[in-house]
Amino acid sequence: MDEAFHLGIKISSSKSLYDILIDYLTIYHKLIPSKPRDVFVCPQLKADLSTHPKAKEIRTIIEIAKRGGNLNPFQSKRLLQTNFHDHMITEWNIYHFHLSLEQDKKTKFVKQVNSLLFAYIDNNSIAFLGVETHKDGIFGDTKWWTLLHDNFPQLIEKYKNDARDVYPPLSASDRQQLWDKGYTTLMVKVKDCVYYSPNIGRTTSGHNMVVIRQAMSILDWIDSISEQLDKYYDAVCNALKVESAVAQYKVIIYGEDLILAEMSSLQQVLKFNEVFDLSKLR
């Protein structure tokens, strides 16, 4: 999440904990973690590079991906808006990058332009698919999924299912309108194959379903450790060799982890989903 703070993330602390978590996780799931991945480039995109007017920008982004560098400045500057939901990321793991090397004067993003590079990204791989202009329907066009199906089927094989068709058939504009209204299309047909959405989909509010589930899971975890601290506060302090009168327990973001820390002694106590081992507190 350091990349988000570098880009200028701002989340209001005046909201409820649930709403803060929703805002934070919404942005977190639109970010691309900087890490080495297997990089693939569609053959047609490779062929076009010799004459494409944005060849320098495309090659720069591909090279950054090969180094495991930060691709987020090439995303939409709306990335940091908590009420902006990128439908293609939520449904298909497909991101788009603005083909500019000029920094926007008011942000840490590149200048927002009409020429966009589309790529499928998961934890281990990034497949650059092609370039299109920013226009209606392009963000719901199954041609991106078709390029994956035709060129890198190994990346999406696990999402294939036994269904024979998807009804009703949707145009790119139909799909984009449904996404804009908060609906999940769940499956997509490419030629003779049907694939599930790589992600669970969205709620009617537009939020990624994974975001909602994670927020609820974090709240459940906080409730669990709060209950344990209420019951076994002195025992926990003794185990940590901290005076109970000065102990301060806080849930904080530490790097990429959510942890329970004891602030007076600067100890990491638990990581997300861990609870106190009561057998060691007695």
Side-chain angles (χ1 to χ4, degrees):
M1 202 65 178
D2 289 343
E3 286 140 348
F5 290 111
H6 173 73
L7 290 169
I9 182 176
K10 294 179 181 179
I11 293 177
S12 172
S13 61
S14 63
K15 295 183 177 181
S16 68
L17 177 57
Y18 175 77
D19 287 334
I20 291 172
L21 284 171
I22 294 295
D23 286 351
Y24 177 87
L25 292 169
T26 293
I27 294 173
Y28 178 84
H29 281 281
K30 290 182 287 186
L31 288 167
I32 304 165
S34 298
K35 57 175 286 188
R37 293 179 176 83
D38 295 326
V39 177
F40 305 89
V41 182
C42 270
Q44 188 57 54
L45 179 58
K46 279 184 181 179
D48 291 343
L49 276 177
S50 59
T51 58
H52 199 284
K54 291 287 186 178
K56 181 180 180 180
E57 290 84 351
I58 296 168
R59 287 195 176 100
T60 297
I61 291 172
I62 291 173
E63 286 304 312
I64 292 172
K66 288 180 178 178
R67 298 196 305 266
N70 183 11
L71 293 168
N72 290 303
F74 294 94
Q75 290 208 72
S76 169
K77 63 183 180 181
R78 297 180 67 194
L79 172 76
L80 299 182
Q81 296 177 10
T82 57
N83 60 351
F84 171 63
H85 308 293
D86 191 307
H87 311 309
M88 291 187 79
I89 296 175
T90 302
E91 295 280 344
W92 291 346
N93 280 351
I94 293 178
Y95 296 70
H96 67 273
F97 303 111
H98 288 261
L99 289 174
S100 172
L101 301 179
E102 180 183 349
Q103 184 173 323
D104 181 79
K105 293 180 179 179
K106 296 182 179 179
T107 71
K108 299 293 180 67
F109 292 86
V110 300
K111 185 177 180 180
Q112 308 288 276
V113 295
N114 282 332
S115 190
L116 307 173
L117 173 63
F118 288 80
Y120 170 88
I121 305 177
D122 60 27
N123 286 334
N124 302 309
S125 307
I126 177 167
F128 292 99
L129 304 174
V131 177
E132 262 292 358
T133 56
H134 196 298
K135 59 187 179 183
D136 287 342
I138 196 61
F139 298 103
D141 197 330
T142 56
K143 78 174 186 177
W144 307 117
W145 205 252
T146 303
L147 286 167
L148 283 167
H149 172 88
D150 289 345
N151 297 285
F152 314 113
Q154 74 278 12
L155 298 182
I156 56 174
E157 176 69 27
K158 58 187 173 184
Y159 304 120
K160 192 183 292 185
N161 66 77
D162 295 331
R164 295 183 178 180
D165 207 348
V166 175
Y167 183 83
L170 299 172
S171 68
S173 294
D174 291 337
R175 186 174 291 104
Q176 194 166 329
Q177 286 181 40
L178 287 171
W179 286 349
D180 288 342
K181 292 179 180 179
Y183 292 100
T184 293
T185 53
L186 191 60
M187 292 189 287
V188 58
K189 185 178 181 181
V190 176
K191 298 182 177 177
D192 59 345
C193 293
V194 175
Y195 295 91
Y196 282 112
S197 166
N199 295 308
I200 303 170
R202 71 191 59 251
T203 64
T204 52
S205 66
H207 289 95
N208 189 327
M209 186 68 77
V210 172
V211 165
I212 303 299
R213 288 189 173 187
Q214 286 185 336
M216 295 303 297
S217 181
I218 290 169
L219 289 177
D220 287 344
W221 175 63
I222 291 173
D223 284 345
S224 296
I225 57 177
S226 294
E227 184 176 335
Q228 287 187 308
L229 279 171
D230 285 343
K231 290 183 178 179
Y232 307 104
Y233 186 82
D234 289 335
V236 170
C237 291
N238 288 336
L240 295 175
K241 298 179 180 179
V242 178
E243 291 184 28
S244 57
V246 299
Q248 299 178 50
Y249 296 96
K250 290 186 178 181
V251 172
I252 63 172
I253 297 167
Y254 184 70
E256 294 298 315
D257 295 318
L258 193 66
I259 67 168
L260 176 70
E262 199 291 298
M263 304 305 292
S264 70
S265 59
L266 300 179
Q267 292 186 64
Q268 177 177 315
V269 181
L270 299 171
K271 284 187 176 181
F272 173 59
N273 265 346
E274 294 178 344
V275 293
F276 292 105
D277 184 348
L278 299 182
S279 65
K280 295 180 179 180
L281 300 179
R282 300 183 187 281

